[in-house]
Short mmCIF file of all heavy atoms in Angstrom, two decimals:
data_model
loop_
_atom_site.label_atom_id
_atom_site.label_comp_id
_atom_site.label_asym_id
_atom_site.label_seq_id
_atom_site.Cartn_x
_atom_site.Cartn_y
_atom_site.Cartn_z
N PHE B 51 -8.92 -1.94 16.48
CA PHE B 51 -9.99 -1.78 17.45
C PHE B 51 -9.95 -0.39 18.08
O PHE B 51 -10.04 -0.23 19.29
CB PHE B 51 -9.91 -2.83 18.56
CG PHE B 51 -10.29 -4.19 18.12
CD1 PHE B 51 -9.34 -5.19 18.03
CD2 PHE B 51 -11.60 -4.49 17.79
CE1 PHE B 51 -9.68 -6.47 17.63
CE2 PHE B 51 -11.95 -5.76 17.37
CZ PHE B 51 -10.99 -6.76 17.31
N LYS B 52 -9.80 0.61 17.25
CA LYS B 52 -9.79 2.03 17.64
C LYS B 52 -8.53 2.46 18.38
O LYS B 52 -8.37 3.65 18.69
CB LYS B 52 -11.01 2.40 18.50
CG LYS B 52 -12.34 2.09 17.89
CD LYS B 52 -13.47 2.64 18.75
CE LYS B 52 -13.45 2.03 20.14
NZ LYS B 52 -14.52 2.60 20.99
N GLU B 53 -7.64 1.56 18.70
CA GLU B 53 -6.43 1.92 19.42
C GLU B 53 -5.28 2.11 18.43
O GLU B 53 -5.04 1.25 17.57
CB GLU B 53 -6.06 0.83 20.42
CG GLU B 53 -7.10 0.59 21.50
CD GLU B 53 -7.25 1.79 22.41
OE1 GLU B 53 -6.24 2.45 22.70
OE2 GLU B 53 -8.40 2.08 22.82
N GLN B 54 -4.56 3.22 18.59
CA GLN B 54 -3.42 3.45 17.70
C GLN B 54 -2.29 2.52 18.12
O GLN B 54 -1.82 2.57 19.26
CB GLN B 54 -2.96 4.91 17.77
CG GLN B 54 -1.89 5.22 16.74
CD GLN B 54 -1.40 6.66 16.79
OE1 GLN B 54 -0.22 6.93 16.82
NE2 GLN B 54 -2.31 7.60 16.83
N THR B 55 -1.86 1.69 17.22
CA THR B 55 -0.81 0.72 17.53
C THR B 55 0.51 1.04 16.84
O THR B 55 1.52 0.43 17.12
CB THR B 55 -1.23 -0.70 17.11
OG1 THR B 55 -1.54 -0.70 15.71
CG2 THR B 55 -2.44 -1.15 17.90
N GLU B 56 0.49 1.98 15.93
CA GLU B 56 1.73 2.33 15.25
C GLU B 56 1.66 3.77 14.76
O GLU B 56 0.64 4.21 14.23
CB GLU B 56 1.98 1.38 14.08
CG GLU B 56 3.38 1.45 13.52
CD GLU B 56 3.79 0.18 12.81
OE1 GLU B 56 3.17 -0.87 13.02
OE2 GLU B 56 4.74 0.24 12.02
N ASN B 57 2.77 4.47 14.96
CA ASN B 57 2.92 5.83 14.47
C ASN B 57 4.34 5.91 13.93
O ASN B 57 5.29 5.89 14.70
CB ASN B 57 2.71 6.83 15.61
CG ASN B 57 3.00 8.27 15.18
OD1 ASN B 57 3.68 8.52 14.19
ND2 ASN B 57 2.51 9.21 15.93
N ASN B 58 4.46 5.92 12.63
CA ASN B 58 5.78 5.84 12.00
C ASN B 58 6.48 7.18 11.93
O ASN B 58 6.76 7.67 10.85
CB ASN B 58 5.65 5.22 10.61
CG ASN B 58 5.85 3.73 10.64
OD1 ASN B 58 5.85 3.12 11.69
ND2 ASN B 58 6.02 3.14 9.48
N SER B 59 6.74 7.77 13.11
CA SER B 59 7.50 9.03 13.18
C SER B 59 6.90 10.09 12.29
O SER B 59 7.62 10.80 11.58
CB SER B 59 8.96 8.79 12.79
OG SER B 59 9.54 7.82 13.61
N VAL B 60 5.59 10.20 12.33
CA VAL B 60 4.90 11.18 11.49
C VAL B 60 4.88 12.52 12.22
O VAL B 60 4.62 12.57 13.42
CB VAL B 60 3.46 10.71 11.21
CG1 VAL B 60 2.73 11.73 10.35
CG2 VAL B 60 3.47 9.35 10.54
N PRO B 61 5.16 13.63 11.51
CA PRO B 61 5.14 14.95 12.16
C PRO B 61 3.79 15.25 12.78
O PRO B 61 2.74 14.80 12.29
CB PRO B 61 5.43 15.90 10.98
CG PRO B 61 6.12 15.07 9.96
CD PRO B 61 5.56 13.70 10.09
N SER B 62 3.81 16.05 13.84
CA SER B 62 2.59 16.33 14.60
C SER B 62 1.58 17.17 13.82
O SER B 62 0.43 17.30 14.26
CB SER B 62 2.95 17.04 15.90
OG SER B 62 3.62 18.26 15.62
N ARG B 63 1.97 17.72 12.69
CA ARG B 63 1.00 18.46 11.87
C ARG B 63 -0.02 17.50 11.23
O ARG B 63 -1.02 17.95 10.67
CB ARG B 63 1.71 19.29 10.80
CG ARG B 63 2.60 18.52 9.86
CD ARG B 63 3.34 19.49 8.93
NE ARG B 63 4.15 18.81 7.94
CZ ARG B 63 5.42 18.49 8.13
NH1 ARG B 63 6.01 18.79 9.28
NH2 ARG B 63 6.11 17.88 7.17
N PHE B 64 0.24 16.20 11.33
CA PHE B 64 -0.74 15.18 10.95
C PHE B 64 -1.29 14.56 12.22
O PHE B 64 -0.53 14.00 13.01
CB PHE B 64 -0.09 14.08 10.10
CG PHE B 64 0.40 14.55 8.76
CD1 PHE B 64 1.71 14.99 8.61
CD2 PHE B 64 -0.44 14.55 7.66
CE1 PHE B 64 2.17 15.43 7.38
CE2 PHE B 64 0.01 14.97 6.42
CZ PHE B 64 1.32 15.42 6.28
N SER B 65 -2.59 14.63 12.40
CA SER B 65 -3.20 14.11 13.62
C SER B 65 -4.31 13.13 13.27
O SER B 65 -5.33 13.54 12.73
CB SER B 65 -3.75 15.28 14.45
OG SER B 65 -4.45 14.79 15.57
N PRO B 66 -4.13 11.84 13.57
CA PRO B 66 -5.18 10.88 13.24
C PRO B 66 -6.24 10.81 14.33
O PRO B 66 -6.00 11.16 15.49
CB PRO B 66 -4.41 9.56 13.17
CG PRO B 66 -3.33 9.74 14.19
CD PRO B 66 -2.96 11.20 14.16
N GLU B 67 -7.40 10.35 13.92
CA GLU B 67 -8.50 10.13 14.87
C GLU B 67 -9.29 8.93 14.40
O GLU B 67 -9.64 8.83 13.22
CB GLU B 67 -9.41 11.36 14.95
CG GLU B 67 -10.60 11.18 15.89
CD GLU B 67 -11.61 12.31 15.79
OE1 GLU B 67 -11.40 13.25 14.99
OE2 GLU B 67 -12.64 12.24 16.49
N CYS B 68 -9.59 8.03 15.32
CA CYS B 68 -10.36 6.83 14.99
C CYS B 68 -11.48 6.69 16.01
O CYS B 68 -11.31 6.03 17.03
CB CYS B 68 -9.45 5.60 14.98
SG CYS B 68 -10.24 4.11 14.36
N PRO B 69 -12.65 7.29 15.76
CA PRO B 69 -13.73 7.27 16.74
C PRO B 69 -14.38 5.89 16.91
O PRO B 69 -14.94 5.60 17.96
CB PRO B 69 -14.73 8.27 16.17
CG PRO B 69 -14.45 8.30 14.71
CD PRO B 69 -12.98 8.07 14.57
N ASN B 70 -14.32 5.08 15.87
CA ASN B 70 -14.84 3.72 15.94
C ASN B 70 -14.14 2.89 14.88
O ASN B 70 -13.38 3.43 14.08
CB ASN B 70 -16.37 3.69 15.77
CG ASN B 70 -16.81 4.37 14.50
OD1 ASN B 70 -16.45 3.95 13.40
ND2 ASN B 70 -17.56 5.46 14.63
N SER B 71 -14.41 1.61 14.85
CA SER B 71 -13.65 0.73 13.95
C SER B 71 -13.99 0.93 12.48
O SER B 71 -13.34 0.36 11.62
CB SER B 71 -13.87 -0.73 14.34
OG SER B 71 -15.25 -1.05 14.28
N SER B 72 -15.00 1.73 12.17
CA SER B 72 -15.39 1.94 10.77
C SER B 72 -14.93 3.27 10.20
O SER B 72 -14.98 3.47 8.99
CB SER B 72 -16.91 1.87 10.62
OG SER B 72 -17.40 0.61 10.99
N HIS B 73 -14.50 4.17 11.06
CA HIS B 73 -14.16 5.52 10.61
C HIS B 73 -12.74 5.90 11.04
O HIS B 73 -12.32 5.62 12.15
CB HIS B 73 -15.15 6.55 11.17
CG HIS B 73 -16.53 6.40 10.63
ND1 HIS B 73 -17.45 5.52 11.17
CD2 HIS B 73 -17.15 7.01 9.58
CE1 HIS B 73 -18.57 5.61 10.48
NE2 HIS B 73 -18.42 6.49 9.52
N LEU B 74 -12.08 6.59 10.13
CA LEU B 74 -10.72 7.05 10.40
C LEU B 74 -10.58 8.44 9.77
O LEU B 74 -10.99 8.66 8.64
CB LEU B 74 -9.71 6.09 9.79
CG LEU B 74 -8.23 6.34 10.05
CD1 LEU B 74 -7.92 6.21 11.54
CD2 LEU B 74 -7.37 5.37 9.25
N PHE B 75 -9.99 9.34 10.54
CA PHE B 75 -9.77 10.69 10.05
C PHE B 75 -8.28 11.01 10.09
O PHE B 75 -7.52 10.46 10.89
CB PHE B 75 -10.52 11.72 10.92
CG PHE B 75 -12.01 11.60 10.87
CD1 PHE B 75 -12.67 10.76 11.75
CD2 PHE B 75 -12.75 12.32 9.95
CE1 PHE B 75 -14.05 10.64 11.72
CE2 PHE B 75 -14.12 12.22 9.91
CZ PHE B 75 -14.79 11.37 10.79
N LEU B 76 -7.89 11.94 9.23
CA LEU B 76 -6.53 12.49 9.29
C LEU B 76 -6.67 14.01 9.29
O LEU B 76 -7.07 14.60 8.28
CB LEU B 76 -5.69 12.02 8.12
CG LEU B 76 -4.21 12.38 8.17
CD1 LEU B 76 -3.54 11.73 9.39
CD2 LEU B 76 -3.49 11.95 6.89
N HIS B 77 -6.41 14.61 10.45
CA HIS B 77 -6.52 16.06 10.58
C HIS B 77 -5.20 16.71 10.17
O HIS B 77 -4.12 16.26 10.59
CB HIS B 77 -6.89 16.43 12.02
CG HIS B 77 -8.16 15.79 12.49
ND1 HIS B 77 -9.37 16.00 11.88
CD2 HIS B 77 -8.38 14.92 13.51
CE1 HIS B 77 -10.31 15.31 12.50
NE2 HIS B 77 -9.73 14.64 13.50
N LEU B 78 -5.32 17.74 9.36
CA LEU B 78 -4.16 18.38 8.76
C LEU B 78 -4.05 19.84 9.22
O LEU B 78 -5.05 20.57 9.18
CB LEU B 78 -4.28 18.36 7.23
CG LEU B 78 -4.73 17.04 6.60
CD1 LEU B 78 -5.03 17.22 5.13
CD2 LEU B 78 -3.67 15.98 6.83
N HIS B 79 -2.86 20.24 9.66
CA HIS B 79 -2.70 21.61 10.19
C HIS B 79 -1.29 22.10 9.91
O HIS B 79 -0.33 21.41 10.23
CB HIS B 79 -2.99 21.60 11.69
CG HIS B 79 -2.79 22.94 12.33
ND1 HIS B 79 -3.32 24.11 11.83
CD2 HIS B 79 -2.08 23.30 13.43
CE1 HIS B 79 -2.99 25.12 12.60
NE2 HIS B 79 -2.23 24.67 13.58
N THR B 80 -1.20 23.31 9.37
CA THR B 80 0.08 23.94 9.01
C THR B 80 0.99 23.00 8.25
O THR B 80 2.12 22.73 8.66
CB THR B 80 0.82 24.52 10.23
OG1 THR B 80 0.74 23.60 11.33
CG2 THR B 80 0.29 25.82 10.62
N LEU B 81 0.46 22.49 7.14
CA LEU B 81 1.26 21.58 6.32
C LEU B 81 2.28 22.33 5.49
O LEU B 81 2.20 23.55 5.32
CB LEU B 81 0.33 20.76 5.41
CG LEU B 81 -0.64 19.82 6.09
CD1 LEU B 81 -1.28 18.90 5.06
CD2 LEU B 81 0.04 18.99 7.17
N GLN B 82 3.22 21.57 4.95
CA GLN B 82 4.26 22.10 4.10
C GLN B 82 4.03 21.64 2.66
O GLN B 82 3.39 20.60 2.44
CB GLN B 82 5.63 21.61 4.58
CG GLN B 82 5.91 21.92 6.04
CD GLN B 82 5.94 23.41 6.31
OE1 GLN B 82 6.58 24.17 5.57
NE2 GLN B 82 5.25 23.86 7.34
N PRO B 83 4.56 22.36 1.68
CA PRO B 83 4.39 21.91 0.29
C PRO B 83 4.86 20.48 0.05
O PRO B 83 4.26 19.77 -0.77
CB PRO B 83 5.22 22.93 -0.50
CG PRO B 83 5.17 24.17 0.33
CD PRO B 83 5.20 23.68 1.77
N GLU B 84 5.88 20.04 0.77
CA GLU B 84 6.37 18.67 0.58
C GLU B 84 5.41 17.61 1.10
O GLU B 84 5.62 16.41 0.90
CB GLU B 84 7.75 18.48 1.23
CG GLU B 84 7.79 18.75 2.71
CD GLU B 84 8.24 20.17 3.04
OE1 GLU B 84 8.00 21.08 2.22
OE2 GLU B 84 8.83 20.34 4.12
N ASP B 85 4.35 18.05 1.79
CA ASP B 85 3.32 17.11 2.25
C ASP B 85 2.31 16.79 1.14
O ASP B 85 1.43 15.95 1.32
CB ASP B 85 2.56 17.69 3.45
CG ASP B 85 3.46 17.87 4.66
OD1 ASP B 85 4.34 17.00 4.88
OD2 ASP B 85 3.30 18.88 5.37
N SER B 86 2.44 17.47 0.02
CA SER B 86 1.56 17.18 -1.11
C SER B 86 1.80 15.74 -1.57
O SER B 86 2.95 15.35 -1.83
CB SER B 86 1.85 18.14 -2.27
OG SER B 86 1.62 19.48 -1.90
N ALA B 87 0.71 14.98 -1.63
CA ALA B 87 0.83 13.56 -1.95
C ALA B 87 -0.57 12.96 -2.07
O ALA B 87 -1.57 13.64 -1.86
CB ALA B 87 1.61 12.82 -0.86
N LEU B 88 -0.60 11.69 -2.38
CA LEU B 88 -1.85 10.92 -2.34
C LEU B 88 -1.91 10.22 -0.99
O LEU B 88 -0.99 9.49 -0.63
CB LEU B 88 -1.87 9.90 -3.47
CG LEU B 88 -3.13 9.03 -3.57
CD1 LEU B 88 -4.34 9.87 -3.96
CD2 LEU B 88 -2.92 7.89 -4.58
N TYR B 89 -2.97 10.46 -0.25
CA TYR B 89 -3.13 9.83 1.06
C TYR B 89 -4.16 8.70 0.93
O TYR B 89 -5.31 8.94 0.58
CB TYR B 89 -3.54 10.87 2.11
CG TYR B 89 -2.39 11.78 2.43
CD1 TYR B 89 -2.13 12.90 1.64
CD2 TYR B 89 -1.50 11.49 3.46
CE1 TYR B 89 -1.04 13.71 1.88
CE2 TYR B 89 -0.40 12.30 3.72
CZ TYR B 89 -0.18 13.41 2.92
OH TYR B 89 0.92 14.20 3.15
N LEU B 90 -3.68 7.51 1.21
CA LEU B 90 -4.50 6.31 1.03
C LEU B 90 -4.90 5.74 2.37
O LEU B 90 -4.07 5.56 3.26
CB LEU B 90 -3.72 5.25 0.24
CG LEU B 90 -3.52 5.54 -1.24
CD1 LEU B 90 -2.36 4.73 -1.78
CD2 LEU B 90 -4.79 5.21 -2.02
N CYS B 91 -6.17 5.46 2.49
CA CYS B 91 -6.69 4.76 3.66
C CYS B 91 -6.88 3.30 3.29
O CYS B 91 -7.20 2.98 2.13
CB CYS B 91 -8.02 5.38 4.07
SG CYS B 91 -8.89 4.52 5.39
#
Side-chain angles (χ1 to χ4, degrees):
Chain B
F51 288 111
K52 304 186 300 178
E53 298 294 324
Q54 187 180 131
T55 58
E56 194 156 341
N57 174 340
N58 267 13
S59 303
V60 179
S62 60
R63 57 185 184 270
F64 294 92
S65 174
E67 178 189 359
C68 188
N70 55 62
S71 59
S72 299
H73 293 85
L74 185 64
F75 295 89
L76 188 62
H77 302 300
L78 315 170
H79 177 50
T80 42
L81 296 191
Q82 305 298 313
E84 59 265 29
D85 296 322
S86 299
L88 180 68
Y89 289 85
L90 288 159
C91 174

